[in-house]
Amino acid sequence: MADDTSRKRTVRGTKIRASREQKEGRKAKKKLARTASSVGERNGDSPLSDPDDVVPEPFVETDAVRSLRDRINGWLEADQPVHLIGPTGCGKTALALSAAAERGRPVVWLNGDESVDTAALVGSHAGGERYEEHDRYVSGVDKKTQIVRERWVDNPLSVAVREGATLVYNEFSRSDPAAHNVLLSVFEEGVLERPGKRGEDRTIDVHPEFRAILTSNDVEYAGVHEQQDALLDRFIGVHVDYYDDETEREIVGAHVDLSADDIAAIVAKTRALRAELEIVVGTRAAITAAQGVAVFDGHNGDGEFDDETLTHVFTDVLAPKVAGGNGGDIEELRSKIAETV
């Protein structure tokens, strides 16, 4: 039986606390998993993951989270690929992985960026395999023939399509739209073509259990490509926004060991800044600010939050988002944070 600290931890409307040893253990496991994944990709191993291993820890479930996930899984049950669209830091990726895990099928992860092309999706030739054949049919004669055979390695899309896995394509819109032409036949005809592959197995019939969940930032974010309409017409688009106040408090509380009052104050400040500032202030920013408050102890002698410390913490958290990053921009940001309650 696995140790309790290694199990997936799910929060259902309550906060959980992790000891320092548990947190360090999770970090070590994640580092080992990343190393194994990169080695596996280089060796041509399968990118399939067990559904129980893909949900990020800790994961928070409230009515709002479950409602969205049920909506996603409903469309997947109807054999429709789902495209989650929303601002950065709102929890799209965690939601996608949770929905994928709930299907109980293997999960394949793919992260989009400028370097993703068709080969990165479907596979490519990875050098050649050289071997010798020995002909000893004539007594006393050993005829050797060297044969070089090209070795093909399937990449995430091919593996997911063949095995009936759930493909989670994160940051889908950061990849070049030209790379996604192969998806048209997958979602329309149920066939995947592998350009560059020769022979009768150049195409793969799509497994009936194959499903896809894609995540993208809103179109106004830097590095986001507008995808072709022919492909977008085959997706179900689900807009994911920041969660309600209760859910954000549960998420922050699951990551940081602070009192309920402190967490409520930090989330309230985050939501106020989100409404006032022209930069993205996501739930991730609230988590980071709470971690800062825990380290710097943002309280005065009466046990109340010290406004100056809270201002410094939020300024440090949000400063990388300020265009240019010069002193004047940072001071203007600090001033706005100080004025926002």
Side-chain angles (χ1 to χ4, degrees):
M1 179 178 294
D3 186 83
D4 286 343
T5 60
S6 67
R7 294 177 181 171
K8 182 180 70 175
R9 300 162 69 240
T10 302
V11 181
R12 299 184 181 272
T14 58
K15 291 185 285 293
I16 53 177
R17 307 289 182 232
S19 67
R20 182 179 297 274
E21 290 77 14
Q22 288 173 322
K23 292 178 180 177
E24 291 300 323
R26 288 203 300 268
K27 288 180 181 178
K29 285 182 181 179
K30 289 180 180 178
K31 182 177 180 182
L32 181 61
R34 287 195 298 269
T35 302
S37 175
S38 62
V39 171
E41 289 172 4
R42 288 196 299 270
N43 291 338
D45 292 342
S46 172
L48 292 169
S49 296
D50 189 286
D52 290 335
D53 297 333
V54 300
V55 180
E57 297 181 15
F59 182 74
V60 169
E61 287 191 6
T62 63
D63 289 343
V65 175
R66 283 189 289 272
S67 177
L68 261 177
R69 190 179 60 194
D70 289 347
R71 186 170 155 201
I72 294 165
N73 283 117
W75 283 116
L76 294 177
E77 183 67 23
D79 199 7
Q80 298 294 324
V82 178
H83 189 195
L84 304 183
I85 309 164
T88 183
C90 70
K92 299 186 298 295
T93 303
L95 182 63
L97 289 169
S98 176
E102 194 169 67
R103 294 195 65 236
R105 299 287 305 175
V107 177
V108 171
W109 168 268
L110 176 62
N111 206 48
D113 58 40
E114 291 283 353
S115 67
V116 172
D117 56 11
T118 301
L121 294 175
V122 302
S124 61
H125 292 287
E129 296 175 322
R130 185 185 299 273
Y131 64 97
E132 288 186 347
E133 285 189 353
H134 292 256
D135 183 355
R136 296 189 178 92
Y137 287 110
V138 178
S139 178
V141 177
D142 183 2
K143 181 181 179 182
K144 298 179 182 179
T145 304
Q146 280 201 345
I147 298 175
V148 178
R149 182 175 58 191
E150 290 183 319
R151 183 169 65 95
W152 176 271
V153 176
D154 274 332
N155 277 337
L157 178 60
S158 294
V159 175
V161 162
R162 184 180 61 242
E163 302 297 331
T166 305
L167 174 70
V168 177
Y169 192 163
N170 193 47
E171 302 286 6
F172 165 75
S173 59
R174 291 193 180 277
S175 300
D176 189 336
H180 298 145
N181 290 333
V182 293
L183 291 173
L184 289 169
S185 62
V186 170
F187 297 129
E188 188 67 19
E189 285 87 28
V191 175
L192 172 65
E193 288 194 28
R194 294 182 286 180
K197 184 108 170 56
R198 293 182 288 273
E200 296 179 356
D201 59 348
R202 185 175 187 272
T203 62
I204 302 175
D205 290 334
V206 175
H207 192 290
E209 290 295 330
F210 168 74
R211 299 292 187 275
I213 308 173
L214 309 93
T215 76
S216 293
N217 290 331
D218 293 327
V219 292
E220 65 265 20
Y221 286 92
V224 171
H225 295 285
E226 288 193 32
Q227 303 296 318
Q228 52 185 302
D229 286 340
L231 183 57
L232 295 177
D233 283 346
R234 289 161 173 79
F235 295 161
I236 295 297
V238 175
H239 183 71
V240 181
D241 208 340
Y242 299 112
Y243 289 115
D244 58 89
D245 180 77
E246 176 193 355
T247 300
E248 285 202 296
R249 281 188 272 116
E250 296 292 349
I251 292 172
V252 175
H255 286 81
V256 187
D257 190 7
L258 288 175
S259 71
D261 288 343
D262 287 350
I263 291 168
I266 290 169
V267 170
K269 182 80 168 179
T270 301
R271 296 175 74 85
L273 290 172
R274 185 178 298 154
E276 292 294 327
L277 300 180
E278 295 181 357
I279 58 177
V280 176
V281 187
T283 306
R284 191 181 298 118
I287 295 171
T288 307
Q291 291 169 337
V293 168
V295 170
F296 297 115
D297 189 16
H299 299 83
N300 57 31
D302 298 325
E304 301 292 332
F305 261 132
D306 177 64
D307 290 339
E308 185 176 359
T309 301
L310 200 57
T311 296
H312 286 316
V313 167
F314 270 101
T315 301
D316 291 345
V317 170
L318 298 176
K321 297 177 179 290
V322 177
N326 59 54
D329 293 333
I330 301 300
E331 286 307 313
E332 182 180 356
L333 174 66
R334 188 190 309 277
S335 177
K336 289 181 179 178
I337 291 174
E339 294 169 0
T340 303
V341 289

